[in-house]
Amino acid sequence: MVSLFKEKKNVDVLICGAGPVGLFLANELAELEINFRIIDKVEKHPEFTKALLLSPRTMDILDNRGLLYPFLENGVKMKQLCILQDVQNPSNAFKVDLNGMHSNFSFGLINRQTKTMEYFIDALHEKKSLRKKHVPNVEFGMELIKYEEKDDHVIAVVKNTKSNVEEEIICQYLVGCDGVHSTVRKGINGWTFEGQTLNSSWALADVEIDHELAKYYQGTFIIHEAPIVILPLDARKNTFRLIVKIGDEEKKNETNDHVTHGLTNEAHITLEELQKLFDERIAPIKMELKNPVWISNFKINERIANRYRTGHVFIAGDAAHCHSPFGGQGMNLGIQDAHNLAFKLALAIKDQSADVNKLLDSYEHERHPVGKNVIEGTGYVTNMMSGNDFYTSFLRTRVAPILFNFFPQTVFNFQDNLLQNNLHYLPGSSEILHKYKPRSGAENKLIEAGYYVQDGLLMKITSHKSHEHITMFDIFRSTVLKHTLILFTLNKGVTADCNPFIETLLEIYNDYKNTITPIIISYQGIVHAADVPFMPFQEEGREQHIFVERKFELHEKYGVMKEFGKQAFVLVRPDLYVASAVFEDDVDELKAFLDQYLTKADK
């Protein structure tokens, strides 16, 4: 069939792939007012669900962007894990409450992938209705055919799958969120996706279960002979997601792309076969599986791209990495890729970066090690749950029960690490993280560049006696489009006449007002508006920038200690990671870092 060509169209960013990762990236770019298009070759996504779990870190991100509400309203909160090794004595199952995790959200949140995409599309429509600039409709049935990279742009050829009409799109940047079969990744020679297909065969099913081991608030792991995982999917319909090991085959090491979301599809197992497998594995427990929504076989693939960026072309999500479903990190990893990339693209497009190549290279430098660690971590969990060798079986059946029962903190730490709750970037791996070494010695506990922000309770300054409470994360919600520069003042005052570093903060703000929002956090009981006679931030009002904490907690979380007695500047990126943190006597180092990172407003 002959293809017809339409005129060329220009955008800043073309997103290829309208799954959860591409749609989240679209919301980020819409919020940042970047001109983009988002396309997907399918006309409609299938109803069955592969990605389910939102991790606490991802919930933080969505909450910060005002996207979390529908997930919380309609999702299933998994607050507990149940680990059963002895099917003869199910009452001896070990249970782990997730409220020990280091997060504002002490649960895993389960939503069907189709719902996740629906919520993100609804959010785009809402932005469009509020007359945000450059918010397009998602273009389903539009396939990327090929692309060519030029010196400062990409020329992409896309085709309408219904009309067969082709058009050229000239974009400054192309981002492939188009899954493990990524056309974007395959479009450049030398962009590899190496890894292995594990030798175990598995089944995935969404079925109704009415049994005490299947609870709407609990994830159940039965690891008696071969693992069975039961996850809550829909509390109203008693629907659960099952992940079941079927058996082992010869291991294959491959470099091809015959995978789907980290899973290689095989012939479907029937409900009867799955029920028989359950009956054999968990006897004498009786658990009836009913009314299947979806049943599929799969193999686990562990793969990662050799790079995440080539010139003006990027990949994210499953296009960049795939791994075992244990830990539920696939979609979370991809959303966090997009979260890391979006503000960097915006800085580059708006000419607000002092070194664009260094800025854009930092996406791969920061996210590639995370993808590699997740693949290794989920692979370890998969092997621990399903490996049949003596060493693995001994660890699973003898060592793990001791850890579960006598060292629960070990379990919490492992869970935190698996869910990326403790994730931070290493300054040495990224050129846009400040490599700062304070002059002070052992007293120094200042938060380091690359660490995720900490939350805490603050009060706004007011002109009346009642004081409105606000959290640190509430403040970050209001500064989402810029970096946030926080001055922790201890009790040294919030006015320039008593604290000279207020003037320093204002100087930095005036230099970088297009990219930085300044915040003052003090510890001195209560501050009224009348106590702040000057207007340091005339454009927006002082009360939006000066906050007080009664308890000395947030200062300590950021490592600004009373006994050390030094104020500190902390620069937080739009993705909620610390870019720089320096003590008051090293503020010139912060200025030097900013000079190499962001462009000044007068430029």
Side-chain angles (χ1 to χ4, degrees):
M1 187 179 294
V2 179
S3 296
L4 302 175
F5 268 93
K6 292 173 66 177
E7 71 278 4
K8 296 179 181 179
K9 294 186 178 179
N10 290 17
V11 291
D12 292 323
V13 179
L14 174 62
I15 303 171
C16 182
V21 177
L23 290 169
F24 176 75
L25 178 60
N27 273 277
E28 290 282 270
L29 296 181
E31 199 67 47
L32 293 161
E33 297 188 339
I34 298 300
N35 184 16
F36 72 95
R37 287 176 69 178
I38 176 168
I39 65 172
D40 199 303
K41 66 181 179 182
V42 303
E43 294 179 16
K44 183 181 179 183
H45 283 290
E47 288 298 319
F48 60 81
T49 291
K50 291 191 174 176
L52 291 177
L53 183 72
L54 288 183
S55 69
R57 179 63 58 85
T58 302
M59 283 186 268
D60 268 345
I61 292 168
L62 297 184
D63 187 34
N64 178 256
R65 297 315 202 236
L67 298 171
L68 185 60
Y69 177 76
F71 293 89
L72 288 175
E73 184 74 8
N74 301 299
V76 177
K77 296 178 182 178
M78 188 174 69
K79 300 180 179 181
Q80 180 176 274
L81 300 180
C82 173
I83 301 167
L84 175 62
Q85 288 189 308
D86 184 1
V87 294
Q88 302 290 334
N89 298 289
S91 60
N92 292 336
F94 181 77
K95 296 182 179 180
V96 181
D97 288 326
L98 299 183
N99 56 15
M101 292 191 295
H102 298 97
S103 171
N104 284 339
F105 300 99
S106 56
F107 51 85
L109 189 61
I110 294 178
N111 284 269
R112 294 181 183 274
Q113 183 173 320
T114 49
K115 286 295 183 183
T116 296
M117 294 185 288
E118 179 185 314
Y119 301 150
F120 285 155
I121 291 173
D122 287 347
L124 285 173
H125 290 163
E126 183 178 357
K127 289 177 174 66
K128 195 169 187 177
S129 70
L130 295 173
R131 300 187 182 278
K132 280 264 184 191
K133 293 181 181 179
H134 312 306
V135 184
N137 292 321
V138 180
E139 299 176 64
F140 289 104
M142 292 290 285
E143 181 178 6
L144 176 67
I145 303 302
K146 61 182 179 179
Y147 66 89
E148 182 182 5
E149 187 179 8
K150 299 295 186 179
D151 289 338
D152 61 351
H153 64 277
V154 177
I155 301 175
V157 178
V158 303
K159 181 177 72 174
N160 186 304
T161 57
K162 279 189 174 180
S163 66
N164 219 38
V165 173
E166 293 185 357
E167 66 175 290
E168 283 189 351
I169 300 174
I170 299 175
C171 54
Q172 196 169 344
Y173 298 102
L174 170 64
V175 184
C177 305
D178 48 344
V180 292
H181 299 290
S182 174
T183 302
V184 174
R185 191 188 64 244
K186 293 176 182 179
I188 294 180
N189 290 332
W191 215 337
T192 62
F193 197 47
E194 297 183 356
Q196 64 177 357
T197 300
L198 302 188
N199 64 331
S200 51
S201 181
W202 300 73
L204 204 66
D206 296 343
V207 298
E208 289 181 18
I209 303 174
D210 185 7
H211 193 277
E212 62 181 7
L213 286 175
K215 297 177 179 178
Y216 70 90
Y217 58 84
Q218 174 179 285
T220 301
F221 296 77
I222 304 173
I223 49 178
H224 174 54
E225 292 182 359
I228 293 172
V229 180
I230 305 171
L231 301 175
L233 197 57
D234 190 331
R236 290 163 293 188
K237 297 181 180 179
N238 264 358
T239 306
F240 292 82
R241 160 64 52 85
L242 302 181
I243 305 174
V244 185
K245 182 178 178 182
I246 299 174
D248 292 316
E249 298 175 11
E250 185 179 351
K251 190 172 185 177
K252 299 177 182 178
N253 291 293
E254 304 172 9
T255 60
N256 59 36
D257 292 305
H258 301 297
V259 290
T260 304
H261 299 282
L263 316 176
T264 297
N265 292 330
E266 300 182 312
H268 288 197
I269 189 173
T270 66
L271 179 64
E272 291 73 20
E273 291 170 332
L274 190 60
Q275 182 69 66
K276 182 180 179 183
L277 192 63
F278 256 65
D279 293 342
E280 292 172 352
R281 293 270 177 84
I282 65 175
I285 298 172
K286 300 291 184 182
M287 185 181 297
E288 184 182 4
L289 314 180
K290 299 182 293 185
N291 300 327
V293 177
W294 176 52
I295 302 179
S296 179
N297 289 36
F298 69 91
K299 285 183 176 292
I300 295 171
N301 284 268
E302 297 177 338
R303 303 179 187 279
I304 191 166
N306 59 329
R307 57 183 182 266
Y308 285 13
R309 177 198 179 199
T310 298
H312 286 244
V313 184
F314 300 82
I315 53 175
D318 289 343
H321 42 69
C322 63
H323 53 82
S324 166
F326 289 103
Q329 283 304 291
M331 180 172 65
N332 296 283
L333 193 59
I335 287 174
Q336 291 173 40
D337 287 343
H339 194 223
N340 182 285
L341 177 61
F343 83 91
K344 297 173 181 178
L345 290 175
L347 288 174
I349 290 164
K350 295 178 181 180
D351 294 324
Q352 293 174 339
S353 169
D355 189 329
V356 170
N357 270 328
K358 187 165 69 174
L359 172 75
L360 297 180
D361 277 344
S362 72
Y363 167 62
E364 178 181 317
H365 295 161
E366 291 174 2
R367 295 304 299 171
H368 192 278
V370 175
K372 188 176 179 182
N373 288 341
V374 168
I375 290 172
E376 291 173 355
T378 56
Y380 176 78
V381 172
T382 303
N383 184 55
M384 282 297 298
M385 291 184 66
S386 63
N388 295 323
D389 60 280
F390 173 79
Y391 175 71
T392 304
S393 297
F394 179 78
L395 289 177
R396 182 172 63 240
T397 59
R398 302 295 182 186
V399 178
I402 296 174
L403 292 176
F404 291 157
N405 287 286
F406 298 104
F407 301 97
Q409 189 59 47
T410 304
V411 180
F412 286 132
N413 292 342
F414 178 77
Q415 188 70 27
D416 267 338
N417 290 330
L418 185 63
L419 293 176
Q420 303 293 298
N421 291 336
N422 295 329
L423 170 66
H424 62 273
Y425 303 127
L426 298 175
S429 68
S430 174
E431 291 297 318
I432 65 165
L433 295 175
H434 190 185
K435 301 171 184 64
Y436 167 68
K437 291 184 178 179
R439 305 176 203 177
S440 55
E443 308 98 328
N444 170 44
K445 296 180 180 178
L446 188 62
I447 192 169
E448 295 180 24
Y451 274 75
Y452 192 69
V453 293
Q454 298 290 312
D455 200 9
L457 193 62
L458 295 165
M459 294 183 299
K460 291 182 178 181
I461 64 167
T462 64
S463 57
H464 46 81
K465 290 186 177 180
S466 61
H467 289 78
E468 181 182 345
H469 286 86
I470 190 171
T471 68
M472 193 74 235
F473 277 23
D474 290 331
I475 295 172
F476 290 135
R477 265 191 289 276
S478 68
T479 64
V480 65
L481 301 181
K482 296 182 179 181
H483 292 65
T484 307
L485 181 58
I486 309 166
L487 173 59
F488 287 94
T489 69
L490 296 166
N491 60 350
K492 297 186 179 181
V494 297
T495 58
D497 58 338
C498 62
N499 186 348
F501 289 100
I502 299 295
E503 193 64 42
T504 304
L505 179 70
L506 296 178
E507 289 173 3
I508 296 173
Y509 167 56
N510 286 325
D511 282 342
Y512 297 96
K513 61 175 60 179
N514 293 334
T515 50
I516 284 178
T517 299
I519 296 293
I520 298 170
I521 296 179
S522 175
Y523 170 68
Q524 54 181 41
I526 294 174
V527 176
H528 293 283
D531 299 327
V532 190
F534 75 121
M535 293 292 286
F537 314 105
Q538 292 181 9
E539 302 98 291
E540 301 170 72
R542 60 191 168 184
E543 71 281 351
Q544 297 179 30
H545 295 267
I546 304 175
F547 304 92
V548 179
E549 62 171 336
R550 271 187 184 164
K551 296 181 179 179
F552 197 77
E553 292 179 351
L554 201 57
H555 275 73
E556 286 188 341
K557 286 182 178 180
Y558 283 81
V560 187
M561 313 305 289
K562 282 181 184 177
E563 57 270 23
F564 195 41
K566 290 187 178 181
Q567 301 175 80
F569 293 85
V570 177
L571 180 68
V572 177
R573 307 189 320 192
D575 67 345
L576 304 180
Y577 287 86
V578 175
S580 174
V582 302
F583 287 117
E584 58 184 44
D585 48 4
D586 290 325
V587 69
D588 286 342
E589 291 198 36
L590 171 62
K591 292 178 180 179
F593 169 74
L594 284 169
D595 194 48
Q596 299 296 314
Y597 178 32
L598 302 172
T599 55
K600 292 185 177 180
D602 58 6
K603 295 182 181 179

